[in-house]
């Protein structure tokens, strides 16, 4: 089993849709999690941290489920500009998921 | 404040040639990383450093060497380039956990 696994997608959704990505991790001792966004051929940029109590930033919500060892990212009211690849990372192990590709269509 | 910079941005090498990729950060971060990204593979950790003068192997260290002689610089060396090392190389840095990593813009390397 890979240490960090993501559904590669692609996810193709219409504008305004709600979409959710999950990311599972194997190290139960992991403490630090993030979601990054990567646009084509560019460097990853931080989207949001994932706190154990869950956290929200505008249309984006991140959650952590320690019992099942996964983190999730929910995007509400999708915009065309949300089209990108979303990477989860377990910071303690410096392990990135392979990324989930999202395309939002008009 | 430039953040994380990488030199060069692009490079084409012939098999067997050597080169060094430079990563520099001006945020006084302790931790620095080198990743490679291939299509469909995500980011894979090559080597990392937890402080000046220290280095450690990541997931895919073979064929690469690194040095961190100064806190702000992290060098990645390819002694004898192979076509399998064609990739995009990203450098990142961060302060001690639980803070996020900051990435450089990447170096696109092609080995023919």
């Amino acid at each position: 089993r890979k240490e960090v696994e993501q559904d590669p997608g692609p996810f193709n959704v219409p504008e305004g849709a709600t979409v959710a990505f999950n990311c599972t991790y194997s190290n139960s001792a992991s403490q630090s999690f993030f979601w990054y966004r990567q646009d084509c051929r560019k460097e990853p940029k931080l989207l949001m941290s994932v706190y154990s109590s869950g956290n929200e930033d505008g249309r984006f919500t991140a959650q952590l489920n320690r019992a099942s060892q996964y983190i999730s990212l929910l995007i509400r009211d999708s915009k065309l500009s949300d089209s990108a690849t979303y990477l989860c990372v377990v910071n303690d192990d410096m392990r990135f998921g392979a990324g989930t590709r999202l395309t939002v269509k008009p | 404040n430039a953040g994380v910079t990488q030199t060069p941005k692009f490079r084409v090498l012939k098999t067997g040639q050597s080169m060094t990729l430079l990563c520099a950060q001006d945020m006084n971060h302790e931790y620095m990383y080198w990743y490679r990204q291939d299509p469909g593979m995500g980011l894979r950790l090559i080597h990392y450093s937890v402080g000046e003068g220290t280095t450690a192997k990541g997931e895919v260290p073979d064929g690469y060497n690194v040095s961190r002689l100064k806190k702000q610089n992290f060098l990645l060396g390819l002694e004898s380039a192979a076509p399998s090392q064609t990739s995009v190389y990203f450098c990142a840095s961060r302060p001690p956990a639980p803070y996020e990593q900051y990435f450089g813009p990447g170096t696109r390397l092609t080995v023919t």
Side-chain angles (χ1 to χ4, degrees):
Chain A
R1 180 183 174 188
K2 289 183 184 177
E3 297 195 32
V4 180
E5 290 198 64
Q6 286 185 254
D7 182 341
F11 284 65
N12 298 308
V13 302
E15 269 187 295
T18 295
V19 61
F21 310 133
N22 283 342
C23 174
T24 59
Y25 61 93
S26 60
N27 184 353
S28 59
S30 298
Q31 298 290 325
S32 180
F33 309 89
F34 299 91
W35 283 102
Y36 281 76
R37 171 193 169 123
Q38 186 175 27
D39 294 292
C40 187
R41 299 177 67 80
K42 299 275 186 74
E43 72 272 26
K45 294 191 175 176
L46 180 70
L47 179 64
M48 58 197 303
S49 305
V50 184
Y51 302 129
S52 50
S53 56
N55 48 300
E56 191 173 304
D57 182 3
R59 298 180 294 107
F60 299 85
T61 301
Q63 300 229 315
L64 167 64
N65 184 317
R66 286 197 186 276
S68 300
Q69 293 181 211
Y70 73 86
I71 62 172
S72 62
L73 177 68
L74 182 77
I75 305 175
R76 290 181 299 278
D77 188 23
S78 300
K79 311 290 185 191
L80 296 177
S81 57
D82 294 333
S83 297
T85 296
Y86 291 84
L87 305 166
C88 64
V89 58
V90 178
N91 226 33
D92 314 73
D93 300 325
M94 300 162 285
R95 302 293 193 191
F96 278 78
T100 298
R101 189 168 176 182
L102 172 66
T103 301
V104 182
K105 299 186 174 180
Chain B
N1 189 334
V4 181
T5 58
Q6 292 184 232
T7 309
K9 290 186 169 52
F10 303 93
R11 185 73 186 268
V12 178
L13 285 180
K14 293 186 177 177
T15 298
Q17 288 185 318
S18 63
M19 76 164 295
T20 300
L21 282 66
L22 170 63
C23 176
Q25 52 95 4
D26 60 3
M27 297 173 283
N28 202 35
H29 286 169
E30 292 292 333
Y31 293 65
M32 295 187 76
Y33 307 85
W34 275 108
Y35 294 91
R36 61 177 287 174
Q37 188 173 36
D38 303 301
M41 296 289 288
L43 287 156
R44 292 185 293 168
L45 182 65
I46 305 171
H47 285 280
Y48 65 99
S49 168
V50 299
E52 182 178 316
T54 72
T55 63
K57 294 180 180 180
E59 296 174 75
V60 289
D62 293 342
Y64 305 96
N65 56 74
V66 287
S67 64
R68 184 118 181 251
L69 299 179
K70 294 183 178 180
K71 187 177 185 179
Q72 63 268 34
N73 295 338
F74 195 27
L75 279 63
L76 178 71
L78 285 73
E79 289 188 349
S80 179
S84 61
Q85 295 178 302
T86 294
S87 190
V88 180
Y89 291 84
F90 287 105
C91 174
S93 72
R94 70 168 175 88
Y99 299 103
E100 72 273 16
Q101 297 179 51
Y102 296 79
F103 282 85
T107 294
R108 283 157 183 78
L109 175 66
T110 301
V111 183
T112 61

